[in-house]
Amino acid sequence: MLVLLPPSEGKAPSGSGAPLALESLSLPGLTAARDAVLGELVELCSADEDKAREVLGIGEGLRAEVAKNAGLRTAGARPAGEIYTGVLYDALDLGSLDAAATRRAAGSLLVFSGLWGAVRVTDRIPSYRCSMGVKLPGLGALGAYWRTPLAGALPAAAGDGPMLDLRSSAYAAAWKPKGEVAGRTATVRVLHSRMVGGVEKRSVVSHFNKATKGRIVRSLLTAGTMPKDPAELVEALRDLGYVVEAEAPGRAGKAWTLDVVVTEIH
């Protein structure tokens, strides 16, 4: 099973390890595209700090992020699973998994990125600032830029099992599974259910949506669940205690949709 994750806006420091080696990253078909984005980002952040902040959409208080980007080629690198932080990754807590679950995470988790396209959690990268919503002066909007490289690299990475898509909309737009790959893909929405005047009300949660998705992935990795298709994935999640309402695709080339219903948000 392949699990597609969004990155986090906040990231841990790069540390003092060996610098980035683009050719060592997973999905080598993305190397040329990564090098192009990295080169333009470094050049932008090295030349004009104010313009770089405008392009990256960051305020005065985050000037250090521009300097960080300018030094990406020589900065220390760490496994992506240690670089990404935030609500989803706090709930996932990769560092506390046992050895078997850690191996499963290495083989099944794929994190999407405005800078790298997509990386495994074991890929060594530096800390950076560049969301999929950025529009670089030379390459244009990264969401559009990555569509062709990702379309070439990801179908093979998807394998022949189910795919659990937990990406946010900006990252989902960079690659949409098609054909039979789409048919074994399940997208997830987290809904908060509460009773108001004796009537159930449901609402989409945002901040807590990320935490729930992190817990879902951790549960699957810890349990060692190996579903063969989305239907088995739904049953596996229910066995793990999640309330899941599933809708199979109505026609070929469409994904499953899963609503995970929670009564408490935390």
Side-chain angles (χ1 to χ4, degrees), residues 164-195:
L164 181 60
D165 191 350
L166 303 178
R167 296 173 296 167
S168 54
S169 58
Y171 292 90
W175 180 64
K176 295 182 179 181
K178 295 181 179 180
E180 64 88 21
V181 178
R184 49 190 170 86
T185 298
T187 62
V188 171
R189 182 175 63 165
V190 179
L191 299 178
H192 179 214
S193 172
R194 64 195 189 282
M195 299 302 293

Side-chain angles (χ1 to χ4, degrees), residues 68-87:
K68 181 169 68 176
N69 281 350
L72 283 173
R73 291 196 183 274
T74 56
R78 298 166 59 187
E82 298 177 12
I83 290 290
Y84 293 116
T85 60
V87 177

Side-chain angles (χ1 to χ4, degrees), residues 44-165:
L44 170 69
C45 292
S46 300
D48 188 332
E49 182 181 280
D50 289 335
K51 182 178 180 181
R53 286 197 300 109
E54 180 182 352
V55 169
L56 296 173
I58 59 178
E60 177 74 25
L62 293 174
R63 284 182 175 272
E65 298 291 282
V66 177
K68 181 169 68 176
N69 281 350
L72 283 173
R73 291 196 183 274
T74 56
R78 298 166 59 187
E82 298 177 12
I83 290 290
Y84 293 116
T85 60
V87 177
L88 187 154
Y89 292 91
D90 285 348
L92 174 52
D93 196 8
L94 288 168
S96 69
L97 293 174
D98 63 27
T102 296
R103 288 193 296 272
R104 288 189 281 270
S108 63
L109 305 186
L110 197 62
V111 184
F112 278 65
S113 162
L115 176 52
W116 316 115
V119 292
R120 301 280 186 182
V121 291
T122 50
D123 285 330
R124 295 180 67 259
I125 59 173
S127 184
Y128 67 96
R129 182 77 175 221
C130 185
S131 72
M132 193 65 81
V134 164
K135 184 176 182 180
L136 291 174
L139 297 178
L142 291 177
Y145 172 81
W146 279 111
R147 284 176 194 150
T148 297
L150 289 171
L154 288 187
D160 56 6
M163 191 157 59
L164 181 60
D165 191 350

